[in-house]
Amino acid sequence: MPDSIPASLIIDTLKDTFREARAWLAAEVAEPPRHAHLGWILSVPDTHQRTVLAALDKEAVLRVLTCATEDEATTIAAGLWMGGEPCVLMIQHAGLYASVNTLRGVAIDGRVPAFYMIGLLSREKDKDPRESHHSMVRYCEPLLDTFGVPHARLEGPDDVHLIPEYFRLARERRGAAAVLVGLETI
Amino acid sequence: MLKPEDILRAIAAARGDAICVPTMTTAPAWRTLAPDDLSVTCVGFMGGASSLGLGLALARPDRRVIVFDGDGSLLMQLGSLATIAGAQARNLTHLVFKNGVYHTSGAQGIPGGLTVDFVLMAKGAGYRNHPPLHETRDKDGATRRNSCVGRRPEVRRQADQAAGAASRSHATRARDHRARGPGEALPAGHA
């Protein structure tokens, strides 16, 4: 049975993920930018991950930029990556559907690493997402499969190790990778 | 009337080490004028140039970033004006080429045509500076242009006082006298 993940655990994991990314960038980028922060969270507010977004407001080392659309968030992520900055996109499934052309153009054709944390809003606790009554839940994984985007489910606190793993995967494959947040964070 | 190539040529001469982000109509011309690695062309996701430029500007606050947007492109991601203003990246210049049409797809008119006021939109979104850019003539007939490019952008406000005949004919049809003739450039301003 899936379980909710505490915001603090996700934030600590993101910090570790960005620290690791900074180490790669220092080795790969000729003149890596020097910033006081560890990395960027690009978000289009997501009810499912709202406790994380609320807690991020108190974090000085994680920069949060709220975007008007997921298209913007994905494209800003491309600019940050080109400039040597690590970032994570926090959106919900509806936003993924709204921005598939940008996902295709930026992360697939443009071969830009883009790591998504996608909230499965309205996902039923006792159902596999692919069997959900809600189309917005049911179609998320099939859509990612169609676009060849590797993905994994965060079904509880024990799964947060998937965040750095799929972040790393996005970088290694020069494309998109996603983790799906199964239940609302707490 | 200013032609896009004239604007691009002026930018190429004054850009210094700025990173430029051309899209759509300006992309091929810019590649010819500035075939170097300091440009990132936005193709394959129309409307993304402004956000791409914002990402670059946030990552590299030590560099100026100049986005060459189109009016049709900006309309596809109009919310980016608010996102850019909110991010407060002071090294980003967002230049909008306003011709009222989707030039590359056959010159179909954009919604609202030339009456759409991008300067007003940028101002409303919270851009710090939002000068219109167009050609002016001195008393002796010499052509002058206001400038928005450089490490410390300078904008000549006298450009607002006199426009060419082609621009005036459009202005009479515009609700706020700011519409520009085909091929004119309009910097929405520095975020």
Side-chain angles (χ1 to χ4, degrees):
Chain A
M1 200 68 112
D3 198 5
S4 291
I5 305 173
S8 57
L9 180 58
I10 289 178
I11 289 174
D12 286 346
T13 306
L14 289 172
K15 287 178 183 173
D16 290 341
T17 302
F18 285 142
R19 285 190 189 100
E20 183 184 324
R22 289 268 175 215
W24 306 331
L25 290 164
E28 289 180 357
V29 179
E31 296 174 34
R34 293 181 181 178
H35 296 287
H37 56 262
L38 288 172
W40 291 83
I41 309 295
L42 303 178
S43 87
V44 180
D46 171 27
T47 308
H48 214 60
Q49 301 177 81
R50 63 183 161 191
T51 63
V52 179
L53 294 172
L56 281 168
D57 281 345
K58 303 178 186 73
E59 292 290 337
V61 296
L62 300 178
R63 292 285 303 273
V64 180
L65 181 64
T66 302
C67 305
T69 67
E70 292 78 8
D71 289 305
E72 282 175 24
T74 304
T75 315
I76 293 168
L80 287 170
W81 175 75
M82 289 174 196
E85 283 285 282
C87 70
V88 168
L89 295 117
M90 293 183 70
I91 65 171
Q92 63 177 230
H93 42 31
L96 174 71
Y97 305 145
S99 61
V100 287
N101 184 54
T102 304
L103 166 68
R104 177 204 55 74
V106 171
I108 297 175
D109 290 359
R111 302 200 65 218
V112 170
F115 171 70
Y116 293 84
M117 292 181 67
I118 302 171
L120 292 179
L121 180 68
S122 299
R123 183 263 175 101
E124 302 94 330
K125 193 169 184 175
D126 59 348
K127 279 190 187 309
D128 186 284
R130 290 177 187 254
E131 295 170 358
S132 172
H133 287 305
H134 304 289
S135 61
M136 59 185 177
V137 176
R138 197 167 62 242
Y139 292 139
C140 190
E141 289 179 325
L143 179 70
L144 292 169
D145 290 338
T146 299
F147 279 76
V149 176
H151 55 86
R153 295 178 195 168
L154 300 186
E155 296 285 45
D158 291 343
D159 291 338
V160 293
H161 65 92
L162 294 168
I163 292 174
E165 286 179 26
Y166 276 71
F167 185 96
R168 210 176 293 132
L169 182 61
R171 167 183 168 262
E172 289 168 357
R173 68 190 300 268
R174 293 281 303 268
V179 293
L180 310 180
V181 182
L183 292 183
E184 272 194 40
T185 57
I186 53 176
Chain B
M1 182 188 312
L2 288 178
K3 293 181 178 176
E5 292 78 7
D6 296 334
I7 298 287
L8 295 177
R9 218 169 276 121
I11 293 170
R15 66 187 284 200
D17 65 354
I19 303 167
C20 296
V21 184
T23 190
M24 306 306 290
T25 305
T26 57
W30 181 251
R31 274 294 171 202
T32 303
L33 284 166
D36 60 42
D37 61 358
L38 293 175
S39 301
V40 182
T41 305
C42 177
V43 291
F45 42 103
M46 186 176 174
S50 56
S51 298
L52 185 61
L54 175 60
L56 285 162
L58 292 173
R60 303 303 304 228
D62 56 321
R63 303 288 284 270
R64 175 156 293 283
V65 177
I66 308 169
V67 173
F68 307 153
D69 217 342
D71 47 5
S73 294
L74 180 55
L75 284 179
M76 288 193 175
Q77 294 294 329
L78 201 51
S80 68
L81 291 176
T83 304
I84 289 169
Q88 299 183 1
R90 299 206 163 207
N91 54 330
L92 176 65
T93 298
H94 189 179
L95 183 66
V96 180
F97 287 79
K98 180 178 177 181
N99 60 9
V101 298
Y102 296 104
H103 180 74
T104 56
S105 63
Q108 304 90 345
I110 65 166
L114 287 169
T115 61
V116 178
D117 191 336
F118 292 98
V119 170
L120 196 59
M121 288 182 184
K123 186 178 180 182
Y127 275 44
R128 284 190 305 132
N129 303 310
H130 27 77
L133 171 66
H134 50 87
E135 201 170 70
T136 64
R137 288 186 185 282
D138 289 342
K139 288 178 182 175
D140 60 2
T143 299
R144 298 174 67 87
R145 290 168 189 153
N146 54 341
S147 167
C148 67
V149 180
R151 280 199 164 273
R152 298 182 66 84
E154 173 193 356
V155 179
R156 295 182 192 165
R157 285 290 179 181
Q158 67 265 33
D160 287 332
Q161 296 168 3
S167 292
R168 279 200 296 275
S169 67
H170 286 294
T172 56
R173 295 196 300 269
R175 62 179 166 79
D176 65 351
H177 302 276
R178 277 185 176 151
R180 304 285 178 245
E184 281 191 301
L186 185 73
H190 314 292

